[in-house]
Amino acid sequence: MSISSLLSAHSSASLSDLSEPSIVTRLRSAGCVFAEDEARLLLSAAATPSALADMVERRITGLPLEHVVGWAEFCGLRIEVDAGVFVPRPRTEFLVAQATALAARPRPVVVDLCCGSGALGAALAAALGGIELHAADIDPAAVRCARRNVTSAAGRVYEGDLYAPLPRSLRGRVDILLANAPYVPSEHIGLLPPEARDHEPRVALDGGADGLDVQRRVASAAAQWLAPGGHLLMETSERQAPHTAEAFTRGGLTVRLATCDDLGATVIIGTRPH
């Protein structure tokens, strides 16, 4: 049998049994822990049997589920996530909740640095019902994705390194500064799950030798952009939290720690003194 005949036979076999139990079996065999939930999601997302077969194949080869279906659920929203873009984590919903609680006035000025898909800014806009939203990322693919998510929240997205692309008019005006900066130490990238290390951009994961290079850069300049009483919120790990807090203090911010055991989330909150 020729190679083309073999491929055709494989394709026909894949398309012949697209029942939920069959998909669950294939997903479970590939190591998907939540195979039943994933199967239902794939079935609901696919427009045709051919599309479903393709989505199942991509998932069992290790592509993140969010990249397969094209979106991630975050804070109750459907956030578009393109292939190659960082997938927002459930634990980061805690950062958004903390930011929501800190909003002290109508239509606060919000900046989402290292925005990735724009999930944090979009979620905060939905929670507060109206903000002046600006977001930035150095990765062009992330910026293209964020523009779709953030535009729906009447926000603007800029491409560039941290604060560099932001309008100068924002200096001293930012009420809430979100920065889900990368914090994985470089030597630990290889220990991440394959879905992250093989399919998400390294720039969104790699925080340098100790994981804090980007966090320090954000913290050192934050006071120049925050309004008096404005807040910087940054996710970190429990182990790194004291060092992240030290970077905030060196940047002239007063610091407190917030944690959520259920989500495994650690957030450092820095406030510019009045």
Side-chain angles (χ1 to χ4, degrees):
M1 180 180 288
S2 68
I3 292 177
S4 60
S5 297
L6 285 170
L7 291 174
S8 176
H10 174 74
S11 176
S12 298
S14 297
L15 287 169
S16 64
D17 188 0
L18 294 174
S19 66
E20 184 173 333
S22 173
I23 294 172
V24 168
T25 298
R26 296 189 69 194
L27 293 173
R28 188 177 291 121
S29 297
C32 299
V33 177
F34 302 104
E36 291 82 0
D37 292 338
E38 292 194 14
R40 285 191 290 269
L41 183 56
L42 292 171
L43 283 161
S44 67
T48 66
S50 179
L52 176 59
D54 178 65
M55 293 169 79
V56 172
E57 289 298 322
R58 285 187 289 153
R59 179 62 184 128
I60 65 177
T61 60
L63 196 69
L65 179 65
E66 295 82 0
H67 289 166
V68 173
V69 299
W71 58 273
E73 183 177 347
F74 186 77
C75 292
L77 302 177
R78 183 174 288 198
I79 300 295
E80 293 188 37
V81 182
D82 295 337
V85 173
F86 182 81
V87 176
R89 310 306 201 238
R91 65 174 174 267
T92 309
E93 294 184 358
F94 180 67
L95 187 153
V96 174
Q98 294 297 304
T100 301
L102 290 170
R105 66 182 184 86
R107 195 170 168 74
V109 177
V110 175
V111 170
D112 182 3
L113 286 186
C114 307
C115 70
S117 64
L120 277 66
L124 190 57
L128 295 177
I131 62 178
E132 181 185 335
L133 175 59
H134 303 265
D137 200 287
I138 197 170
D139 181 10
V143 169
R144 289 192 296 271
C145 186
R147 281 182 174 142
R148 299 200 302 277
N149 292 312
V150 170
T151 299
S152 63
R156 299 182 63 187
V157 184
Y158 312 89
E159 182 180 333
D161 184 29
L162 299 182
Y163 301 100
L166 296 177
R168 302 298 99 179
S169 59
L170 287 175
R171 283 179 174 266
R173 293 184 52 236
V174 179
D175 298 299
I176 302 289
L177 176 55
L178 310 171
N180 194 21
Y183 56 91
V184 179
S186 300
E187 65 178 14
H188 293 171
I189 296 295
L191 304 178
L192 293 175
E195 291 180 340
R197 71 170 186 260
D198 295 339
H199 298 285
E200 292 182 321
R202 189 175 181 109
V203 70
L205 303 169
D206 193 339
D210 66 354
L212 302 179
D213 285 358
V214 183
Q215 291 194 348
R216 290 191 188 95
R217 291 178 58 211
V218 172
S220 66
Q224 302 171 32
W225 294 85
L226 291 172
H231 309 283
L232 166 63
L233 295 94
M234 193 178 294
E235 182 179 285
T236 190
S237 70
E238 182 179 4
R239 178 182 59 81
Q240 293 164 308
H243 307 290
T244 303
E246 181 183 0
F248 277 44
T249 300
R250 288 181 178 177
L253 306 177
T254 59
V255 182
R256 70 179 178 89
L257 174 71
T259 61
C260 176
D261 292 337
D262 289 343
L263 292 174
T266 300
V267 172
I268 303 295
I269 302 171
T271 303
R272 178 186 166 185
H274 286 278

